[in-house]
Amino acid sequence: MREPSETRILSVASEHLRQHGLRRFTVVAVAEEAGMTHANVYRYFPSRAALVDAVVDVWLKATERRLADIADGPDPADDKLERLILALARANRDLLAEEPHLFAALSQAVAKRHAISRRNRTRVRALFERVIDEGIASGAFEPRDRDRAIAFVIDATHRFIHPAALELEADVPQASVDARLSTLIRVALRVLGTGIV
Amino acid sequence: MREPSETRILSVASEHLRQHGLRRFTVVAVAEEAGMTHANVYRYFPSRAALVDAVVDVWLKATERRLADIADGPDPADDKLERLILALARANRDLLAEEPHLFAALSQAVAKRHAISRRNRTRVRALFERVIDEGIASGAFEPRDRDRAIAFVIDATHRFIHPAALELEADVPQASVDARLSTLIRVALRVLGTGIV
DNA sequence: GCAATGACAATCTTCAAAATTTGTAATTTG
DNA sequence: CAAATTACAAATTTTGAAGATTGTCATTGC
């Protein structure tokens, strides 16, 4: 049985973006490889930009699901916050290493504030808020100001999470980045736990 | 009395870069406005890139001097570290707001790891190290691991200092950025003071 | 009536020639 | 002799025409 057109276009587009990059990604080529004329692609995606965003969004949503699994788990909030930060940092860093073209498309979507990236950011932030609130409810975290505490965690970890920041460290040995990130996480957890923020 | 050629070229180049940006900055135009042929510019600067870097370097060095004044002051180390971070963050943020073309040139020099930016980074980092070491010597800071503590401060403040990170927040109200930065600084000082890092 | 196509205008990219700019070196000027 | 210029090759940018891609829509086919 034949794959429905929409998913088929999306998977061909994903391959094309990964292999050839944004610059050489064309609706005509995707359509041809999906066995249809380019006009038909526009039945499913309103524009080339929307198709690219859809490809990036598949990755973002998959990453979000893994983060939500962590946030929904039964573990203590401080454990979950640590794993949340680590998982997000690693997901982005691994994408940079393994799928540079897809990473570049994500990076652009973030830089140009596309809807997909703004919405992803909102949802990921909500996961962080949930876990921190859970930690406050359980007494694991005792920040003096909840909103400030959340902003602190996001600002302090920015360097290890944001695509623009990760690009700068692409050539730093992974072990060294890992060590610094683990220091930062340890500090952030202590800061949340001891009412410093 | 007529300004010597080298400084004259440099000041005309600075004006051109600020007004027209990197893209439209040409050695020919700078030379003409400085009242000479372009070949003569090459007596003083080995290439267009070197001239651009020299302009950026003037700004970097001026900023460094202000930071060094803070680091050399008689105040307690924790005060000085706070002022160091604030001064560096504000210098870069003000440059983005007031001289976007010069900021863009700096941003590129950093992204492409030009010698001027690598050396600036090394010297600014040395100032941070000096102040933190001073704080350790005076007992104001008691980190468990000096190098980790320094890395922590630099990583945590990255978002408010690095050009690539500042570009992302150009449209966030200054007051909100200031509030977050001041939280981050307060936390970092407490962290250094209480052996958390 | 839903999926797909062919035909088309508008936009964007490519390519090659022309123009400009970068960079070098021999020569001039004060 | 130090500062600057003229003259020139190499590299880069601009320009404009040809070609390709994007996006729309009326029409076809099942």
Side-chain angles (χ1 to χ4, degrees):
Chain A
M1 166 205 167
R2 194 186 148 91
E3 205 180 356
S5 291
E6 184 168 349
T7 59
R8 177 197 188 67
I9 293 167
L10 197 52
S11 66
V12 170
S14 182
E15 257 327 284
H16 267 246
L17 186 57
R18 282 164 207 257
Q19 290 187 355
H20 310 301
L22 249 187
R23 242 188 84 82
R24 306 206 294 154
F25 175 98
T26 69
V27 178
V28 168
V30 169
E32 181 172 15
E33 190 160 325
M36 57 186 74
T37 54
H38 78 277
N40 198 41
V41 170
Y42 288 92
R43 287 187 63 74
Y44 302 97
F45 299 92
S47 66
R48 183 192 111 115
L51 180 52
V52 171
D53 278 357
V55 171
V56 173
D57 206 35
V58 168
W59 185 87
L60 285 176
K61 291 258 170 64
T63 303
E64 269 175 47
R65 270 192 298 280
R66 293 208 307 282
L67 297 181
D69 285 348
I70 293 170
D72 291 337
D75 318 276
D78 54 351
D79 268 31
K80 295 204 294 190
L81 184 56
E82 166 157 22
R83 289 168 53 209
L84 218 49
I85 295 168
L86 267 176
L88 186 49
R90 290 212 176 111
N92 287 334
R93 184 229 274 156
D94 291 349
L95 188 66
L96 170 58
E98 283 153 33
E99 297 284 2
H101 284 142
L102 187 51
F103 181 93
L106 166 61
S107 196
Q108 275 225 11
V110 173
K112 298 193 168 166
R113 294 171 164 71
H114 291 193
I116 50 152
S117 93
R118 289 203 318 272
R119 292 195 192 114
N120 167 258
R121 190 184 195 294
T122 302
R123 289 185 301 254
V124 170
R125 192 189 162 101
L127 292 178
F128 274 75
E129 296 192 0
R130 244 170 62 201
V131 170
I132 290 172
D133 283 339
E134 199 182 306
I136 294 173
S138 76
F141 300 148
E142 295 186 328
R144 290 190 296 167
D145 181 317
R146 168 197 181 266
D147 290 348
R148 261 209 286 254
I150 290 166
F152 161 75
V153 170
I154 290 172
D155 286 334
T157 55
H158 176 271
R159 160 150 230 186
F160 299 101
I161 285 176
H162 198 285
L166 292 176
E167 274 168 1
L168 301 168
E169 300 223 73
D171 54 351
V172 177
Q174 219 178 71
S176 142
V177 176
D178 277 340
R180 283 160 41 209
L181 174 54
S182 109
T183 297
L184 200 51
I185 292 174
R186 192 166 40 74
V187 170
L189 294 179
R190 289 288 301 273
V191 164
L192 288 175
T194 57
I196 287 181
V197 71
Chain B
M1 165 201 169
R2 197 185 145 93
E3 207 179 356
S5 291
E6 184 167 349
T7 57
R8 179 197 187 66
I9 293 166
L10 197 53
S11 67
V12 170
S14 183
E15 258 326 284
H16 267 248
L17 187 58
R18 282 164 207 256
Q19 291 187 356
H20 311 300
L22 248 188
R23 241 188 86 83
R24 306 205 296 154
F25 174 98
T26 70
V27 178
V28 168
V30 169
E32 181 172 16
E33 190 160 323
M36 58 185 73
T37 54
H38 79 278
N40 199 43
V41 169
Y42 287 92
R43 288 186 62 75
Y44 302 96
F45 298 93
S47 67
R48 182 192 111 114
L51 181 52
V52 170
D53 278 357
V55 170
V56 174
D57 206 35
V58 167
W59 185 87
L60 286 176
K61 291 257 170 64
T63 303
E64 269 175 48
R65 270 192 298 280
R66 294 208 305 282
L67 298 181
D69 284 348
I70 294 170
D72 291 337
D75 318 274
D78 54 351
D79 268 30
K80 295 204 293 190
L81 184 55
E82 166 157 22
R83 288 168 52 209
L84 218 48
I85 295 169
L86 266 177
L88 186 49
R90 290 211 178 115
N92 287 335
R93 184 228 275 157
D94 291 350
L95 187 68
L96 171 59
E98 283 153 33
E99 297 285 2
H101 285 142
L102 187 50
F103 180 94
L106 166 61
S107 197
Q108 276 226 9
V110 173
K112 298 192 170 166
R113 292 169 165 72
H114 291 194
I116 51 152
S117 93
R118 289 203 320 272
R119 292 195 191 114
N120 168 259
R121 191 184 195 292
T122 303
R123 288 185 302 255
V124 170
R125 193 188 161 101
L127 292 177
F128 274 75
E129 296 192 0
R130 245 169 62 200
V131 171
I132 290 173
D133 284 338
E134 199 182 305
I136 294 174
S138 75
F141 300 149
E142 294 185 329
R144 290 191 296 168
D145 180 318
R146 169 198 181 266
D147 291 347
R148 260 209 287 256
I150 289 166
F152 161 74
V153 170
I154 290 172
D155 285 335
T157 56
H158 176 272
R159 162 151 230 186
F160 299 100
I161 285 176
H162 199 285
L166 292 176
E167 273 168 2
L168 301 168
E169 301 222 73
D171 55 350
V172 176
Q174 220 177 70
S176 141
V177 175
D178 276 339
R180 283 159 42 209
L181 174 54
S182 107
T183 298
L184 199 53
I185 292 174
R186 192 165 42 72
V187 170
L189 294 179
R190 290 287 303 273
V191 163
L192 288 175
T194 56
I196 287 180
V197 71

